Amino acid sequence: MQPTLKPAAEGLRTRVFQIIFESGTPLAKGFDIALIVAILASVGVVLLDSVVPLRVRFGELFYWLEWGFTGLFTLELAMRLYCLERPFRYLRSLYGVIDVIAILPTWLMLLLPGVQSLVVLRLLRVLRVFRVLRLMQFVGEGRLLLDALKRSVRQIFLFFFSIFIVVIIFASAMYLIESPEVGFTSIPQSIYWAIVSLTTVGYGDIVPVTPLGQAITVVLMLIGYSIIAVPTGVFSAQVIRSIREERYSEEACPGCGHDRHERRAKYCLLCGTWLDEETEDPRAWKDADRNDDAPAIDDT
Amino acid sequence: MQPTLKPAAEGLRTRVFQIIFESGTPLAKGFDIALIVAILASVGVVLLDSVVPLRVRFGELFYWLEWGFTGLFTLELAMRLYCLERPFRYLRSLYGVIDVIAILPTWLMLLLPGVQSLVVLRLLRVLRVFRVLRLMQFVGEGRLLLDALKRSVRQIFLFFFSIFIVVIIFASAMYLIESPEVGFTSIPQSIYWAIVSLTTVGYGDIVPVTPLGQAITVVLMLIGYSIIAVPTGVFSAQVIRSIREERYSEEACPGCGHDRHERRAKYCLLCGTWLDEETEDPRAWKDADRNDDAPAIDDT
Amino acid sequence: MQPTLKPAAEGLRTRVFQIIFESGTPLAKGFDIALIVAILASVGVVLLDSVVPLRVRFGELFYWLEWGFTGLFTLELAMRLYCLERPFRYLRSLYGVIDVIAILPTWLMLLLPGVQSLVVLRLLRVLRVFRVLRLMQFVGEGRLLLDALKRSVRQIFLFFFSIFIVVIIFASAMYLIESPEVGFTSIPQSIYWAIVSLTTVGYGDIVPVTPLGQAITVVLMLIGYSIIAVPTGVFSAQVIRSIREERYSEEACPGCGHDRHERRAKYCLLCGTWLDEETEDPRAWKDADRNDDAPAIDDT
Amino acid sequence: MQPTLKPAAEGLRTRVFQIIFESGTPLAKGFDIALIVAILASVGVVLLDSVVPLRVRFGELFYWLEWGFTGLFTLELAMRLYCLERPFRYLRSLYGVIDVIAILPTWLMLLLPGVQSLVVLRLLRVLRVFRVLRLMQFVGEGRLLLDALKRSVRQIFLFFFSIFIVVIIFASAMYLIESPEVGFTSIPQSIYWAIVSLTTVGYGDIVPVTPLGQAITVVLMLIGYSIIAVPTGVFSAQVIRSIREERYSEEACPGCGHDRHERRAKYCLLCGTWLDEETEDPRAWKDADRNDDAPAIDDT
């Protein structure tokens, strides 16, 4: 945890901290669920408010709901700041910034009425759901994926760079071959078309009409269709590797050299040798124990 | 098998049970095949009946075929219930519900003529095919896939949640940038467009027309094109792991009871006990050998 | 090789057989290359002949080229039959049928002029290229893929069956929700739309217009977008398994039990034990040899 | 490195060489970054210059910027040639050719004004970025991918050949079934449509309208949707194998010279020789031990 998350020492503040920052008690879990519901509901209101017929009919309702949610989130942020030792440091952390972004647009509308982009910014509230996911056990899964992504980041960069080169070359060729009348009005426009085709989206707003243009398009589409196998293959390999490394140690057995043991293994599965060289084999110890007795008899 | 599937004890009912619930005898196999043919044929009739020119010409034929299939399926359900000990419990099981859904719409049409949605419900008959697949050996394959799915369910949830965030952000941006005239009339409409683009479907009913909108679309399409590598990689890794799991024996270690050893394991990975009870532990044998000599000396 | 491919015993026929059925000599390789070129050129003529402006201008040329290629292929087939012991058996084999299909349409045009479908049948000539690929070393690669496909065939069947169920359900729902005016005129038409959407093709000839229809479409597109991970994962796993089995034996080392040796391995990589139990270890033999001699000399 | 890259022996030229050909010193790294910026900026100018409204307004500016970049790149090429021992050999190398292509179009415009295709050739400048990537550590990653590609090249060839056959067959069928009015004017045009559908691009400029055509299209789309699993699976398997290859040591066995052992191998898999030259073979040691004692006892 970040140092900003240490609660202030008093009783009430500590209890509030446990409810809104942790998720161990039933009350804290209830708070998490209520928070997710409130976030999704407030996002729903923003979405519906953008539909003209609904705004005409329910505009007033949406307006008051919006203020209700903003009030709730403001109260929640105030409580978060109240129960922390260093509230300002929290405000500068990632979660703090998201908390502020979630309420700022509505408050700013009081000052700058009619600025519609502010309305849309409220949708960033949805990012707050991540906080609750973190409390649940999704972090481990995410970390596995991030590990695999980090390992393939160079290949992914190379992949996008190759796509960039392919797109530039095909877009320039089509700009020369096809006429502006069918949509190839400039090289940037051709690049837009090339990416629409390469990614197999294929809106159909710009399509080739000359036989040569169609032939080149065929090559571009086949490239786009099959080249996706490259990042997929790389990422699959990295996920497999991450899962394997999580489970298998690569240290060799001192007895037979076998080097694919599950991490939890204490004995080699092939020759039964004790694997943890820093401690003693309890079985060996038992043997030794028996041996300790034996000599007494032996010597007789 | 579920307890509801115990046949009633008399001879005829047991024989009927063997034919319609099991698939061991040739007669039972013939019944299975006839059932699949009848289900698919009745689905075919529903499909063709929805085509206006065909309904105009063959409507009467379709009507009587439909009643024929409904009669058959009703008879079959009656026989199923007849040969079971607890027919009502079967009716509340998943397969029982599907059996009822398969015939209910047609019977209800007698009461509520002209309700077209009922006609469509008849297509749920197709679900009945699953019953026969279960009797064939497809369950094992399905279980392998379900195992892999269950293991990746958290990653898949994270994947869809990330898509949800990406879609919300791009949809709001496009709602601000593009005008309602070209189709971006509301945020929900923009979300529809964003998913059409991200999944690379690309109908082309709504397309960006401003340079900035096209630039943002390019980014969204590249995300959609490449992000599919993530669930593919995760699922590949899980299928590989499921196949490998077949390498694990479920026999418990006689020493400590641990029951997840690789099949090739000779010693328990936790307590080092020899696992193959039919042969002797070479290590133990060596010890024993030493012991065989020892007594001679001991006794002296 | 099939028994039909035994050449007739005389000298000339044997030499012709070696040229047109095998690919060991330079002449035979030249024949293979010339055959591929002729096949692709004749396919090219059929393609160009279907383009109206080109047919108007070069129709006569295409006509004579077509007869030229047909003559060549007829001559080739005659030679194949000439140098075989059982020509009629060859004609009934897969390759024989393809050879006949390659020339039949043109000859039939003499009898039935103006039947355009025959023209198109000539394109099946392209299948003849497979014969030459077989002679090159592509069979092994194909077999690996077929092995992996055979192993995943049940999962692939389950996959397509699930798609079938999904498509039926979404198509019926959309048939009820959307009006015939926008293209959802019948359930089969809705099924066509559902597959266009699920496979992420997205022509855009039929698109949902109601909010509910668009919401359902969003779900269908997300299913189609992500479900492809299933066959991809299954097939990846099977290819990996096929490659592994090709290289690694699973027999355990009699010395230490290690069971992941490359098939060509003669000694265990961990304990150095001789792996092939049916023959003797040359090293052991040498040692034994030395030992037999050694004492005699040593003792002297 | 290639022999052409040896710098001429004098002090100044050596220092220039270190800056523009290597990337060890801070100055050389700065040069690399400046070069990438200049390349991307000059590509940006070409792109913007193709947008009519921008060219009308900023045409003059773009013209002088273009000459500025060309001057810079010409100067850079001159410096490269100056500090090499064999400048002409460099000019014939891949990087040399790309360097010339980057500046030639602009110089040629002086001689052949108004030839627009030359303008587009300037975009090939973007290839120069590869040089700088090489200096960074992306070569290793690229090599891993190329290795995997090389290994799957036969399967990829088979894959594209199968697609070719599928496309030819479906395109001919659709040419017969659908009418020229809806776009199926010739077999090449049908092939264009078939590839648009198979790759799931789906522009929608040509769509089937007859029920039979739509049924065939459904099959084609399902093939295209699922067949991508084949190259993805093959490539995944090859990447995994390439990563695993890192497990192989390339040191030769001192006994038989075999040089492909798993890193963990202790004995040569072909001749059983002990591989780790720094320690002793426990087996040999035991034998030796036995031999040392043996004679003494044997002879008694």
Side-chain angles (χ1 to χ4, degrees):
Chain A
M1 283 285 172
Q2 301 149 313
T4 56
L5 290 181
K6 227 186 305 166
E10 303 147 48
L12 175 67
R13 286 163 79 182
T14 310
R15 236 174 306 143
V16 172
F17 180 87
Q18 281 167 351
I19 292 170
I20 64 179
F21 277 103
E22 298 180 348
S23 65
T25 61
L27 207 64
K29 271 180 192 153
F31 178 82
D32 285 350
I33 290 165
L35 191 57
I36 288 196
V37 170
I39 293 168
L40 294 181
S42 82
V43 165
V45 167
V46 176
L47 294 188
L48 295 178
D49 190 38
S50 76
V51 183
V52 175
L54 293 178
R55 185 165 47 211
V56 169
R57 221 166 132 194
F58 304 107
E60 194 114 343
L61 173 66
F62 292 152
Y63 181 80
W64 292 115
L65 277 173
E66 172 58 30
W67 274 110
F69 286 121
T70 304
L72 272 174
F73 295 147
T74 309
L75 187 70
E76 182 216 339
L77 179 58
M79 275 163 71
R80 281 187 195 275
L81 296 178
Y82 160 72
C83 68
L84 288 174
E85 258 185 2
R86 301 180 179 178
F88 287 101
R89 212 158 145 185
Y90 174 75
L91 280 178
R92 277 171 319 199
S93 74
L94 183 61
Y95 284 114
V97 168
I98 292 176
D99 284 358
V100 172
I101 284 176
I103 53 169
L104 207 61
T106 314
W107 290 115
L108 279 180
M109 281 201 308
L110 288 182
L111 304 171
L112 311 153
V115 181
Q116 209 195 22
S117 0
L118 289 175
V119 177
V120 167
L121 274 179
R122 293 183 299 184
L123 285 175
L124 292 176
R125 265 171 212 173
V126 85
L127 293 172
R128 299 195 69 207
V129 177
F130 273 121
R131 177 206 296 279
V132 187
L133 288 181
R134 205 195 42 163
L135 293 177
M136 288 149 74
Q137 293 153 9
F138 282 95
V139 186
E141 313 300 325
R143 198 166 294 157
L144 188 78
L145 290 185
L146 282 182
D147 265 17
L149 271 179
K150 254 182 229 157
R151 275 201 195 129
S152 13
V153 77
R154 279 162 173 272
Q155 277 111 327
I156 290 168
F157 180 88
L158 266 183
F159 172 70
F160 278 112
F161 185 71
S162 311
I163 282 185
F164 177 63
I165 301 277
V166 166
V167 162
I168 288 273
I169 290 173
F170 277 84
S172 340
M174 291 302 274
Y175 173 63
L176 291 180
I177 292 164
E178 296 283 339
S179 70
E181 281 78 35
V182 297
F184 296 86
T185 51
S186 65
I187 300 182
Q189 192 76 2
S190 290
I191 288 176
Y192 163 73
W193 166 86
I195 291 177
V196 165
S197 303
L198 186 94
T199 57
T200 77
V201 170
Y203 287 131
D205 52 346
I206 308 176
V207 291
V209 293
T210 65
L212 183 56
Q214 290 180 341
I216 289 175
T217 304
V218 157
V219 175
L220 180 64
M221 291 186 297
L222 287 173
I223 290 176
Y225 178 61
S226 50
I227 213 179
I228 190 62
V230 173
T232 306
V234 168
F235 192 72
S236 296
Q238 296 297 359
V239 174
I240 289 166
R241 197 165 147 188
S242 292
I243 288 179
R244 189 174 292 154
E245 281 179 14
E246 210 178 52
R247 284 182 66 193
Y248 287 98
S249 146
E250 287 191 1
E251 277 172 53
C253 163
C256 69
H258 181 67
D259 60 355
R260 237 181 87 91
H261 293 92
E262 299 187 32
R263 283 199 188 283
R264 59 182 173 174
K266 288 176 179 155
Y267 293 92
C268 172
L269 58 83
L270 294 183
C271 71
T273 303
W274 180 247
L275 290 174
D276 184 358
E277 295 187 8
E278 286 173 26
T279 63
E280 269 186 70
D281 178 1
R283 249 173 42 140
W285 188 78
K286 260 192 293 174
D287 288 0
D289 206 39
R290 197 158 37 88
N291 285 346
D292 281 355
D293 296 355
I297 306 174
D298 270 349
D299 291 350
T300 322
Chain B
M1 283 284 171
Q2 301 148 312
T4 55
L5 290 182
K6 227 187 304 168
E10 304 148 46
L12 176 66
R13 286 163 78 182
T14 309
R15 234 174 308 141
V16 172
F17 179 87
Q18 281 168 351
I19 291 170
I20 63 178
F21 276 102
E22 298 181 348
S23 65
T25 61
L27 207 63
K29 272 182 191 151
F31 178 82
D32 285 349
I33 290 165
L35 191 57
I36 288 196
V37 170
I39 293 167
L40 294 181
S42 82
V43 165
V45 167
V46 176
L47 294 188
L48 294 177
D49 190 37
S50 77
V51 183
V52 175
L54 293 178
R55 185 165 47 211
V56 168
R57 221 167 133 192
F58 303 109
E60 194 113 347
L61 173 66
F62 292 151
Y63 181 80
W64 291 116
L65 277 174
E66 173 57 30
W67 274 109
F69 286 122
T70 304
L72 272 175
F73 294 146
T74 309
L75 187 69
E76 183 216 338
L77 178 57
M79 276 163 70
R80 281 185 196 275
L81 296 178
Y82 161 71
C83 68
L84 287 174
E85 260 183 0
R86 301 180 178 177
F88 288 101
R89 210 158 146 185
Y90 174 75
L91 279 178
R92 276 174 318 201
S93 74
L94 182 62
Y95 284 115
V97 168
I98 292 176
D99 284 359
V100 171
I101 284 176
I103 54 170
L104 206 62
T106 314
W107 291 114
L108 279 180
M109 282 201 307
L110 287 181
L111 305 171
L112 311 153
V115 181
Q116 209 195 20
S117 1
L118 288 175
V119 177
V120 167
L121 274 180
R122 293 182 301 185
L123 284 175
L124 292 176
R125 265 170 210 174
V126 85
L127 293 172
R128 299 196 68 209
V129 176
F130 274 120
R131 177 206 296 280
V132 187
L133 287 181
R134 205 196 41 162
L135 293 177
M136 289 149 74
Q137 295 152 8
F138 281 96
V139 185
E141 313 300 325
R143 197 166 293 157
L144 187 78
L145 289 185
L146 283 182
D147 266 15
L149 271 179
K150 254 181 232 157
R151 277 206 195 120
S152 11
V153 77
R154 279 163 172 270
Q155 277 112 329
I156 289 168
F157 179 87
L158 266 182
F159 172 70
F160 278 112
F161 185 72
S162 311
I163 282 185
F164 176 64
I165 301 277
V166 167
V167 161
I168 288 273
I169 291 173
F170 277 84
S172 340
M174 290 302 273
Y175 173 63
L176 292 180
I177 293 164
E178 296 282 339
S179 70
E181 281 78 36
V182 296
F184 296 86
T185 51
S186 66
I187 301 183
Q189 192 77 2
S190 290
I191 288 176
Y192 163 73
W193 166 85
I195 291 176
V196 165
S197 303
L198 186 94
T199 56
T200 78
V201 170
Y203 287 132
D205 51 347
I206 308 175
V207 291
V209 293
T210 65
L212 183 56
Q214 291 180 340
I216 289 175
T217 304
V218 156
V219 176
L220 179 64
M221 292 186 296
L222 286 173
I223 291 175
Y225 177 62
S226 50
I227 213 179
I228 189 63
V230 173
T232 306
V234 169
F235 191 72
S236 297
Q238 297 297 0
V239 174
I240 288 166
R241 196 165 146 189
S242 292
I243 289 179
R244 201 169 282 158
E245 294 286 284
E246 291 168 16
R247 283 205 203 158
Y248 284 91
S249 145
E250 287 189 4
E251 279 173 52
C253 161
C256 68
H258 180 68
D259 60 355
R260 239 183 83 90
H261 292 94
E262 298 189 31
R263 286 196 189 285
R264 60 179 172 177
K266 290 179 176 151
Y267 294 93
C268 171
L269 58 82
L270 291 185
C271 70
T273 303
W274 179 246
L275 290 174
D276 184 359
E277 295 185 6
E278 288 173 25
T279 63
E280 271 185 71
D281 178 0
R283 250 172 42 141
W285 188 78
K286 258 192 293 173
D287 288 358
D289 205 39
R290 196 152 41 82
N291 287 345
D292 281 355
D293 295 356
I297 304 174
D298 272 348
D299 293 349
T300 325
Chain C
M1 282 285 172
Q2 301 149 311
T4 55
L5 289 182
K6 226 185 307 164
E10 303 148 46
L12 177 63
R13 287 162 78 182
T14 309
R15 234 175 306 143
V16 171
F17 180 86
Q18 281 168 350
I19 291 171
I20 65 180
F21 276 102
E22 298 179 350
S23 66
T25 61
L27 207 63
K29 273 182 190 151
F31 179 82
D32 285 349
I33 290 165
L35 191 58
I36 287 195
V37 170
I39 293 167
L40 294 181
S42 82
V43 165
V45 167
V46 177
L47 294 188
L48 295 178
D49 191 37
S50 77
V51 183
V52 175
L54 292 178
R55 184 163 49 209
V56 168
R57 221 166 132 194
F58 303 109
E60 194 112 347
L61 174 65
F62 291 152
Y63 181 80
W64 291 116
L65 278 174
E66 173 57 31
W67 274 109
F69 286 121
T70 305
L72 271 175
F73 294 146
T74 310
L75 187 69
E76 183 217 337
L77 178 57
M79 275 164 69
R80 281 186 195 275
L81 296 177
Y82 160 72
C83 68
L84 288 174
E85 259 183 2
R86 302 179 177 180
F88 287 101
R89 208 156 150 187
Y90 174 75
L91 279 178
R92 277 173 318 201
S93 74
L94 182 63
Y95 284 114
V97 168
I98 292 176
D99 284 358
V100 171
I101 284 176
I103 54 169
L104 206 64
T106 314
W107 290 114
L108 279 180
M109 281 203 307
L110 287 182
L111 304 171
L112 311 152
V115 182
Q116 210 195 20
S117 0
L118 288 175
V119 177
V120 168
L121 274 180
R122 293 182 302 184
L123 284 176
L124 292 176
R125 263 170 213 173
V126 85
L127 293 172
R128 300 195 67 209
V129 177
F130 274 121
R131 177 206 296 280
V132 187
L133 287 181
R134 205 196 43 165
L135 294 178
M136 289 149 73
Q137 295 152 9
F138 282 95
V139 185
E141 312 300 326
R143 197 165 293 156
L144 188 77
L145 290 185
L146 283 181
D147 266 17
L149 272 179
K150 254 182 230 157
R151 275 200 195 130
S152 13
V153 76
R154 279 163 173 273
Q155 278 110 329
I156 289 169
F157 179 88
L158 266 182
F159 172 70
F160 277 112
F161 185 71
S162 311
I163 282 185
F164 176 64
I165 301 277
V166 167
V167 161
I168 288 272
I169 290 172
F170 277 84
S172 340
M174 290 302 274
Y175 172 64
L176 291 180
I177 292 164
E178 295 283 339
S179 69
E181 280 78 36
V182 297
F184 296 86
T185 53
S186 66
I187 300 182
Q189 191 77 1
S190 289
I191 288 176
Y192 163 73
W193 166 85
I195 291 176
V196 165
S197 303
L198 186 94
T199 57
T200 76
V201 170
Y203 286 132
D205 51 347
I206 308 175
V207 291
V209 293
T210 64
L212 182 56
Q214 291 180 340
I216 288 175
T217 303
V218 157
V219 176
L220 180 63
M221 292 186 297
L222 286 173
I223 291 176
Y225 177 62
S226 51
I227 213 179
I228 189 63
V230 173
T232 305
V234 170
F235 191 72
S236 297
Q238 297 298 359
V239 174
I240 288 166
R241 197 165 147 186
S242 293
I243 288 178
R244 190 173 293 154
E245 281 178 16
E246 209 177 54
R247 284 181 66 193
Y248 287 96
S249 146
E250 286 191 2
E251 279 173 52
C253 162
C256 69
H258 181 68
D259 60 355
R260 236 181 89 91
H261 292 94
E262 299 188 31
R263 284 200 186 283
R264 59 181 173 174
K266 290 175 177 155
Y267 293 92
C268 172
L269 59 83
L270 293 184
C271 71
T273 303
W274 179 246
L275 291 175
D276 183 359
E277 295 185 7
E278 289 173 23
T279 63
E280 271 185 71
D281 177 0
R283 246 171 46 138
W285 188 78
K286 258 192 294 174
D287 287 0
D289 206 40
R290 195 152 44 82
N291 286 345
D292 282 355
D293 298 355
I297 304 174
D298 271 348
D299 293 349
T300 322
Chain D
M1 284 283 172
Q2 300 149 311
T4 55
L5 289 182
K6 225 186 309 165
E10 302 148 47
L12 176 65
R13 286 163 80 182
T14 309
R15 236 173 306 143
V16 172
F17 179 88
Q18 282 167 350
I19 292 170
I20 64 180
F21 277 102
E22 299 179 349
S23 66
T25 61
L27 207 64
K29 271 180 192 152
F31 179 82
D32 286 350
I33 291 165
L35 191 58
I36 288 194
V37 170
I39 293 167
L40 294 181
S42 82
V43 165
V45 168
V46 177
L47 294 187
L48 295 178
D49 190 38
S50 77
V51 182
V52 174
L54 293 178
R55 184 163 49 210
V56 168
R57 220 165 132 193
F58 303 108
E60 194 113 345
L61 173 66
F62 291 153
Y63 182 80
W64 292 115
L65 277 174
E66 173 57 31
W67 274 109
F69 286 121
T70 304
L72 272 175
F73 294 147
T74 309
L75 188 69
E76 183 216 338
L77 178 57
M79 276 163 70
R80 282 186 195 275
L81 296 177
Y82 160 72
C83 69
L84 288 173
E85 258 183 3
R86 301 179 178 178
F88 287 101
R89 212 158 146 185
Y90 174 75
L91 279 179
R92 278 173 318 200
S93 74
L94 182 62
Y95 284 115
V97 168
I98 292 176
D99 284 358
V100 171
I101 284 176
I103 54 170
L104 207 62
T106 314
W107 291 115
L108 278 180
M109 281 202 307
L110 286 182
L111 304 171
L112 310 153
V115 182
Q116 211 196 18
S117 2
L118 288 175
V119 177
V120 167
L121 274 180
R122 292 181 301 184
L123 284 175
L124 292 176
R125 263 171 212 173
V126 85
L127 293 172
R128 299 196 68 208
V129 177
F130 273 121
R131 177 207 295 280
V132 187
L133 287 181
R134 204 196 44 163
L135 293 177
M136 288 148 75
Q137 294 152 10
F138 282 96
V139 186
E141 312 301 325
R143 198 166 293 157
L144 187 79
L145 290 184
L146 283 181
D147 267 15
L149 272 179
K150 254 182 230 156
R151 277 206 195 120
S152 13
V153 77
R154 278 163 174 271
Q155 278 110 327
I156 290 168
F157 180 88
L158 266 183
F159 172 70
F160 278 113
F161 186 71
S162 312
I163 282 185
F164 176 64
I165 302 276
V166 167
V167 161
I168 288 273
I169 291 172
F170 277 84
S172 339
M174 291 300 274
Y175 173 64
L176 292 180
I177 293 163
E178 295 283 339
S179 70
E181 280 79 35
V182 297
F184 296 87
T185 53
S186 66
I187 300 183
Q189 192 76 3
S190 289
I191 288 176
Y192 163 73
W193 166 84
I195 291 176
V196 166
S197 303
L198 186 93
T199 57
T200 77
V201 170
Y203 286 132
D205 51 347
I206 308 175
V207 292
V209 293
T210 65
L212 182 56
Q214 291 180 340
I216 289 175
T217 304
V218 156
V219 176
L220 180 63
M221 291 186 297
L222 286 173
I223 290 176
Y225 177 61
S226 51
I227 213 179
I228 190 63
V230 174
T232 305
V234 169
F235 191 72
S236 297
Q238 296 298 359
V239 174
I240 288 165
R241 197 165 147 187
S242 291
I243 288 178
R244 203 169 279 158
E245 293 287 282
E246 291 168 16
R247 284 206 204 157
Y248 283 91
S249 146
E250 288 189 3
E251 278 172 52
C253 162
C256 69
H258 180 68
D259 60 355
R260 239 183 81 91
H261 293 93
E262 297 189 31
R263 285 196 189 284
R264 60 178 173 179
K266 289 178 177 154
Y267 294 92
C268 172
L269 58 82
L270 292 183
C271 70
T273 302
W274 180 247
L275 290 174
D276 183 0
E277 296 187 6
E278 288 172 25
T279 63
E280 271 185 68
D281 178 0
R283 248 173 41 141
W285 189 79
K286 258 192 295 175
D287 288 0
D289 204 40
R290 195 159 37 86
N291 285 345
D292 282 353
D293 297 355
I297 304 173
D298 270 349
D299 291 350
T300 323

